Amino acid sequence: MMKADIPVIEALDLSKRFGSFTAVQDVSLQVEKGEFFGLLGPNGAGKTSIIRMMYGFSPLSSGNMKLFGLDIRTGWREIRSKIGVCQQENTLDPDLSVEKNLLVFAGYYKMSRKKAVRRTDELLDFFALNHKRQAQVSQLSGGMVRRLMLARTLINDPSLIILDEPTTGLDPQSRHQVWDKLRDLRSKGLTLVLTTHYMEEAASLCDRLIIMDRGRILVEGNPEELISKYAGASVVELENPGEDLKTFIREKQIRHEELMNRIIIYTDDSEGLGKAIRERFCPEKCLFRSGTLEDVFLRLTGRELRE
Amino acid sequence: MKRFDLSLLFLSVWKRNLIVYRRIWKVNFMVPLFEPLFYLAAFGIGLSGLIGDVVYAGQDLSYIQFIAPALLATSVMFNAFFETTFSSFVRMYYQKTFDAMLSTPLSLEEVITAEIVWGATMSMLAATIILFIISVLGFVVYPWGLLVIPLGFLGGLAFGSMGMFFTGIVPSINMFNLPMFLVVTPLFLFSGTFFPVSGLPFWGQYLAGISPLYHLVELTRLLTMGIMESSPFISIAYLTGFALVFYFLAIRAMRKRLIK
Ligand SMILES: Nc1ncnc2c1ncn2[C@@H]1O[C@H](COP(=O)(O)OP(=O)(O)O)[C@@H](O)[C@H]1O
Ligand SMILES: [Mg+2]
């Protein structure tokens, strides 16, 4: 099948400048049909800027962006009719009820009244918002607001959805509920681009992701690959490490990070290093755990605050 | 993206505003209904005795008859201007409604056009309500009077575009006080609304001629009473030109403001 070869998103040397400030620099990425793709990075990394270029809101400063093989500069209207965007801020219409938020939005896609009503019913059901149908947006909890945002994102039956921090500020219950819904959609062949600050979210949802900082891509890969490459299979954390341990680590050239009163040691444990450390240097407070995406993220983007 | 991209899809945004309006239409209806009544009572009845008759276009008119069409025209101005300044600003800035729209197949031009056309719709509605009131008072000659309704729409486009231009450039919602005070209030007072422009010195008449409200007031007098002091064709051309210039200025200002 020829058609399957066209990537859903194809960005080439994308840059975004605001005056003399460069928010995104030479970013290239490709998202295939059916893929869940993650865009990670600390605040200000340029994630939202990339997303805004994806749906044709921000003009590109340079580079190229194609969705479904269409150039965003000329094909933006057709592209937007095939995608759903969930923006970072709450952009629900506070002048309208829950139900009307979906019905009116359907109008922006030239959807027939009949189809809009059917789709609204389906989505209110799917996101468990049926009992709030007539409520005003201001009466919804944070979790319901996000669910309604997601429902609205899906109103036009998009084949690609772009979610900018869809779960920020949600309690764990709501977050897991959103994940379940997204997994459900994955099984129906949807393509997804997601930004998030929750590493376990990215690790469990994304087939592939990039970590970026200061407008540039640092790494790209699937979560397991990245974890084994940059964090290792197992991690040892201990407090107030002694000099003998530090010397041992340096001699063996084990990957590690020295923090203020703490040391984090990344091992792939093929040589039983973890065991050695446990026996020789762990009289007390020593944490053994497996490597996570958060380790990768922090190692690559550093630990200092961004804002 | 094309420089100017407008299709009938803008009607979906217009419809959104209609749905919101209908939700509290009774409240929304009150303002254009009662405001001109207050003015007519205060100026027409209160001041009439002090002022007596007014000579306009060679005819003697009672003061209330003189100002009735002008109040209709100022209502047209206020309704569109209010809608595309305060109301549009709230939608744009606080509610991020435009941001959401711009993730759908809507273009910026369509969103802005819809807001302006909605403002003009409000003007047209106000014109209709007031036309009814002053018809009851016996100040309207039919069938020409009915043309006040489309005229209200044209006037609404002119003042709605001007308002939208200010929405594109004001840093915060409080700053609308400035165009209100520097533009709308002088227009309200000096556009042949409360006294005939023909009584003014030459420079005053010249200034009134620049005012879009003056032309709207003149046309309203023509359509309701069959008399005016100036040329209807010049007034229609001026209003249309004013609307077009500010429409494009508004689109440009909003593009600069919204598209980053
Ligand atoms: N409209 C703008 N004007 C100037 N700078 C901006 C604008 N939008 C974003 N930026 C800057 O670009 C950088 C990237 O922002 P953004 O893409 O929002 O980051 P992220 O979504 O990864 O947190 C930040 O430093 C931000 O301050
Ligand atoms: Mg962001």
Side-chain angles (χ1 to χ4, degrees):
Chain A
M1 245 169 61
M2 282 292 288
K3 222 168 164 249
D5 294 338
I6 302 177
V8 174
I9 303 176
E10 206 177 0
L12 199 65
D13 294 330
L14 207 60
S15 295
K16 183 70 196 176
R17 287 179 286 276
F18 297 107
S20 59
F21 176 75
T22 303
V24 177
Q25 185 151 24
D26 299 324
V27 165
S28 297
L29 55 87
Q30 197 156 314
V31 180
E32 306 297 335
K33 188 169 168 3
E35 214 174 11
F36 271 29
F37 185 83
L39 218 52
L40 308 185
N43 283 330
K47 305 179 296 292
T48 299
S49 301
I50 291 179
I51 282 180
R52 286 188 171 157
M53 290 189 276
M54 263 176 201
Y55 68 87
F57 179 83
S58 293
L60 323 185
S61 299
S62 62
N64 268 303
M65 174 80 84
K66 279 186 180 176
L67 276 80
F68 312 105
L70 298 164
D71 192 314
I72 190 71
R73 278 177 262 237
T74 50
W76 65 271
R77 209 192 276 269
E78 190 181 343
I79 290 170
R80 282 196 207 160
S81 72
K82 293 183 183 179
I83 67 175
V85 181
C86 181
Q87 286 149 331
Q88 189 173 348
E89 322 84 56
N90 171 3
T91 60
L92 293 174
D93 201 325
D95 294 331
L96 297 170
S97 67
V98 166
E99 179 184 40
K100 283 268 170 17
N101 256 282
L102 299 180
L103 288 172
V104 167
F105 221 69
Y108 305 153
Y109 293 91
K110 278 198 215 162
M111 211 180 284
S112 73
R113 172 85 194 162
K114 206 172 135 205
K115 191 168 168 216
V117 169
R118 202 193 62 219
R119 194 77 192 131
T120 296
D121 287 347
E122 281 169 12
L123 287 168
L124 288 179
D125 254 356
F126 186 66
F127 285 102
L129 285 166
N130 237 327
H131 61 300
K132 291 287 175 184
R133 198 172 257 274
Q134 305 300 340
Q136 291 303 119
V137 169
S138 58
Q139 299 167 327
L140 300 182
S141 69
M144 290 193 244
V145 163
R146 274 289 138 183
R147 263 144 58 203
L148 184 55
M149 287 276 288
L150 284 173
R152 197 182 65 176
T153 303
L154 293 165
I155 191 77
N156 56 325
D157 217 345
S159 46
L160 163 70
I161 60 174
I162 300 174
L163 312 180
D164 198 354
E165 296 190 26
T167 57
T168 298
L170 295 189
D171 61 21
Q173 283 83 358
S174 307
R175 217 149 20 103
H176 280 271
Q177 199 176 23
V178 168
W179 296 353
D180 285 344
K181 294 298 172 197
L182 292 178
R183 288 199 190 96
D184 199 355
L185 292 168
R186 184 217 300 266
S187 65
K188 293 178 181 125
L190 190 78
T191 310
L192 174 136
V193 172
L194 170 87
T195 82
T196 179
H197 288 304
Y198 299 106
M199 294 303 133
E200 79 276 23
E201 176 167 307
S204 85
L205 284 178
C206 296
D207 304 309
R208 205 154 55 81
L209 54 88
I210 59 174
I211 297 177
M212 56 183 302
D213 197 8
R214 298 175 215 283
R216 292 169 181 277
I217 294 181
L218 300 177
V219 291
E220 179 193 329
N222 73 43
E224 299 78 39
E225 263 171 32
L226 292 175
I227 291 168
S228 71
K229 185 157 174 208
Y230 294 96
S234 72
V235 177
V236 189
E237 279 189 52
L238 62 135
E239 282 178 32
N240 303 317
E243 275 312 310
D244 48 347
L245 171 61
K246 290 184 186 171
T247 319
F248 173 78
I249 288 169
R250 275 184 219 121
E251 272 172 8
K252 296 264 178 194
Q253 293 188 330
I254 307 170
R255 278 184 304 195
H256 67 284
E257 265 186 284
E258 283 182 51
L259 309 179
M260 209 152 36
N261 295 315
R262 216 150 52 96
I263 192 162
I264 303 180
I265 305 157
Y266 305 102
T267 70
D268 53 19
D269 223 18
S270 51
E271 299 154 49
L273 283 170
K275 189 160 173 277
I277 292 166
R278 186 202 304 257
E279 280 164 5
R280 288 174 57 187
F281 304 102
C282 269
E284 50 183 335
K285 293 228 177 129
C286 210
L287 176 68
F288 287 82
R289 58 176 176 81
S290 43
T292 63
L293 198 56
E294 191 135 342
D295 295 317
V296 180
F297 187 87
L298 288 170
R299 281 203 67 202
L300 291 171
T301 60
R303 286 172 186 273
E304 76 274 22
L305 291 176
R306 295 310 169 94
E307 289 183 322
Chain B
M1 235 169 271
K2 261 199 298 184
R3 241 0 231 173
F4 192 83
D5 213 316
L6 183 63
S7 78
L8 283 181
L9 197 54
F10 85 87
L11 289 173
S12 65
V13 178
W14 181 89
K15 210 169 137 197
R16 178 249 169 229
N17 288 345
L18 180 68
I19 289 169
V20 175
Y21 177 88
R22 275 197 316 215
R23 218 162 51 86
I24 46 167
W25 71 272
K26 281 177 197 141
V27 182
N28 288 326
F29 227 64
M30 298 282 228
V31 180
L33 187 65
F34 283 104
E35 201 184 44
L37 280 178
F38 293 158
Y39 276 110
L40 281 173
F43 290 94
I45 302 167
L47 276 177
S48 260
L50 293 172
I51 294 171
D53 284 0
V54 178
V55 179
Y56 174 79
Q59 291 198 25
D60 275 346
L61 303 175
S62 71
Y63 189 60
I64 189 166
Q65 193 176 5
F66 174 73
I67 64 166
L71 288 174
L72 190 152
T74 56
S75 243
V76 164
M77 171 174 81
F78 279 122
N79 271 279
F81 191 81
F82 183 86
E83 198 57 42
T84 57
T85 51
F86 293 99
S87 302
S88 292
F89 194 90
V90 167
R91 289 193 275 274
M92 167 188 79
Y93 187 85
Y94 296 102
Q95 306 186 349
K96 313 226 174 288
T97 312
F98 298 175
D99 287 344
M101 289 170 177
L102 292 176
S103 73
T104 73
L106 283 161
S107 71
L108 178 88
E109 287 82 358
E110 282 150 5
V111 174
I112 303 309
T113 303
E115 292 283 301
I116 294 172
V117 171
W118 175 250
T121 309
M122 290 292 92
S123 294
M124 188 167 75
L125 193 66
T128 311
I129 296 171
I130 301 167
L131 185 69
F132 172 75
I133 296 170
I134 63 177
S135 297
V136 172
L137 297 174
F139 298 150
V140 185
V141 184
Y142 283 98
W144 290 109
L146 285 176
L147 286 179
V148 166
I149 295 168
L151 177 67
F153 190 75
L154 174 64
L157 290 178
F159 292 108
S161 298
M162 182 174 84
M164 191 46 96
F165 167 68
F166 287 123
T167 298
I169 59 173
V170 291
S172 73
I173 196 161
N174 307 321
M175 296 290 270
F176 282 129
N177 291 336
L178 221 55
M180 266 301 197
F181 175 68
L182 293 176
V183 181
V184 175
T185 307
L187 289 184
F188 176 61
L189 294 171
F190 302 110
S191 295
T193 32
F194 299 107
F195 48 85
V197 165
S198 54
L200 291 176
F202 173 74
W203 60 266
Q205 295 193 20
Y206 179 78
L207 280 181
I210 299 175
S211 156
L213 183 61
Y214 168 73
H215 295 282
L216 188 62
V217 169
E218 282 288 292
L219 288 166
T220 312
R221 289 212 172 98
L222 177 70
L223 295 176
T224 53
M225 307 190 292
I227 50 171
M228 77 189 293
E229 285 186 340
S230 51
S231 149
F233 301 106
I234 291 178
S235 289
I236 287 177
Y238 187 84
L239 271 182
T240 310
F242 186 91
L244 276 173
V245 168
F246 273 94
Y247 174 68
F248 286 107
L249 286 176
I251 297 270
R252 206 175 69 164
M254 289 304 281
R255 175 181 296 284
K256 212 166 152 196
R257 169 159 212 151
L258 288 177
I259 305 297
K260 299 276 167 53

